[in-house]
Amino acid sequence: MSDLPFTKTRVSSQKETEIRQKVRSAGPPPSTGARTRLATPSDADAFLAFLLHPDVHGWIYSLPKPLTLASVQTFIDSKIAAREAGEGLLFLTLDEAGEISGYSDIQVWPQWGAGEIAGAIRPDRQNRGQGGAGMTATFTWMFETLGLELICNTTALDNIRIQSLFRKTGLEYKGDIESLRPDGSTRTSQVWEVEREAWLSRFGTQA
């Protein structure tokens, strides 16, 4: 059994089926880029170039290591398979020139009604307040569009910036785990969670 989410409340079989279908049919979440779309196998070269910048991949344990064209291709293929299973989505955000300026990797555990998101924006677009606004909009989208009941996110122990952002937006620190990287190595991570009702009471748009 996966260590995540920390809070495991099994949803009904009907709810699980609905979440899987919503994941399969979901359009892109809100973004600050010119366009956001699902990643495809043909994006591997451009996505690799984007990920190779240390300010992009440095904090993210879920990316393949080493970053090579083959490993990125496999990563994209795995996310396409996850979408077909109703368990994940990989979106790329493009700038006005059509170049990758960010990505969002959404993991969903339909049986728990829960999800997690990882991602990054290009260094030239960082420190503009887009990260906090983008996270708020995307969390709301995950609850409202995917029908999730819980969001569970992890972060490195020394990533003070994102921990502060989680705290300010109402996520609760739940403890630490050893996160497993795709290459089999581990990273000690903090786990933060927020429930649907608590989040939407502050940031939601639906009644």
Side-chain angles (χ1 to χ4, degrees), residues 115-118 139 151-155 166 171 190-193:
E116 177 186 25
I117 182 168
F139 275 31
I151 290 177
C152 172
N153 259 42
T154 61
T155 182
F166 284 167
L171 277 76
Q190 289 189 351
V191 179
W192 295 73
E193 293 184 342

Side-chain angles (χ1 to χ4, degrees), residues 54-132:
D55 287 343
V56 170
H57 71 253
W59 296 106
I60 304 171
Y61 78 90
S62 56
L63 289 171
K65 291 186 179 182
L67 284 167
T68 65
L69 183 59
S71 68
V72 170
Q73 186 73 69
T74 299
F75 180 75
I76 293 174
D77 290 344
S78 72
K79 298 305 175 181
I80 292 172
R83 179 174 181 262
E84 293 172 352
E87 297 177 355
L89 295 158
L90 178 62
F91 290 106
L92 301 179
T93 298
L94 310 179
D95 62 17
E96 293 76 6
E99 297 182 351
I100 297 174
S101 61
Y103 85 99
S104 299
D105 174 15
I106 298 170
Q107 167 75 42
V108 176
W109 301 280
Q111 70 274 32
W112 308 120
E116 177 186 25
I117 182 168
I121 57 176
R122 205 168 59 201
D124 64 296
R125 300 206 167 199
Q126 295 176 7
N127 301 316
R128 299 183 181 183
Q130 294 183 358

Side-chain angles (χ1 to χ4, degrees), residues 11-198:
V11 300
S12 68
S13 58
Q14 179 180 350
K15 176 73 172 179
E16 178 180 345
T17 298
E18 289 173 354
I19 290 173
R20 289 185 187 276
Q21 183 55 41
K22 288 177 178 179
V23 171
R24 294 186 187 106
S25 62
S31 82
T32 55
R35 186 163 69 98
T36 299
R37 60 169 174 78
L38 288 163
T40 69
S42 63
D43 292 313
D45 285 285
F47 193 33
L48 172 62
F50 169 79
L51 292 175
L52 282 174
H53 196 291
D55 287 343
V56 170
H57 71 253
W59 296 106
I60 304 171
Y61 78 90
S62 56
L63 289 171
K65 291 186 179 182
L67 284 167
T68 65
L69 183 59
S71 68
V72 170
Q73 186 73 69
T74 299
F75 180 75
I76 293 174
D77 290 344
S78 72
K79 298 305 175 181
I80 292 172
R83 179 174 181 262
E84 293 172 352
E87 297 177 355
L89 295 158
L90 178 62
F91 290 106
L92 301 179
T93 298
L94 310 179
D95 62 17
E96 293 76 6
E99 297 182 351
I100 297 174
S101 61
Y103 85 99
S104 299
D105 174 15
I106 298 170
Q107 167 75 42
V108 176
W109 301 280
Q111 70 274 32
W112 308 120
E116 177 186 25
I117 182 168
I121 57 176
R122 205 168 59 201
D124 64 296
R125 300 206 167 199
Q126 295 176 7
N127 301 316
R128 299 183 181 183
Q130 294 183 358
M135 190 197 85
T136 300
T138 302
F139 275 31
T140 300
W141 176 87
M142 290 171 70
F143 282 122
E144 294 185 334
T145 301
L146 303 184
L148 301 182
E149 299 295 330
L150 179 81
I151 290 177
C152 172
N153 259 42
T154 61
T155 182
L157 300 184
D158 55 350
N159 194 343
I160 305 301
R161 183 182 63 84
I162 194 66
Q163 293 166 21
S164 176
L165 182 58
F166 284 167
R167 193 174 293 107
K168 288 177 181 177
T169 51
L171 277 76
E172 295 184 12
Y173 168 65
K174 296 294 185 176
D176 297 343
I177 63 168
E178 292 298 311
S179 297
L180 182 65
R181 295 188 175 100
D183 65 358
S185 63
T186 60
R187 182 198 76 177
T188 304
S189 302
Q190 289 189 351
V191 179
W192 295 73
E193 293 184 342
V194 64
E195 295 182 354
R196 174 188 181 89
E197 183 177 349

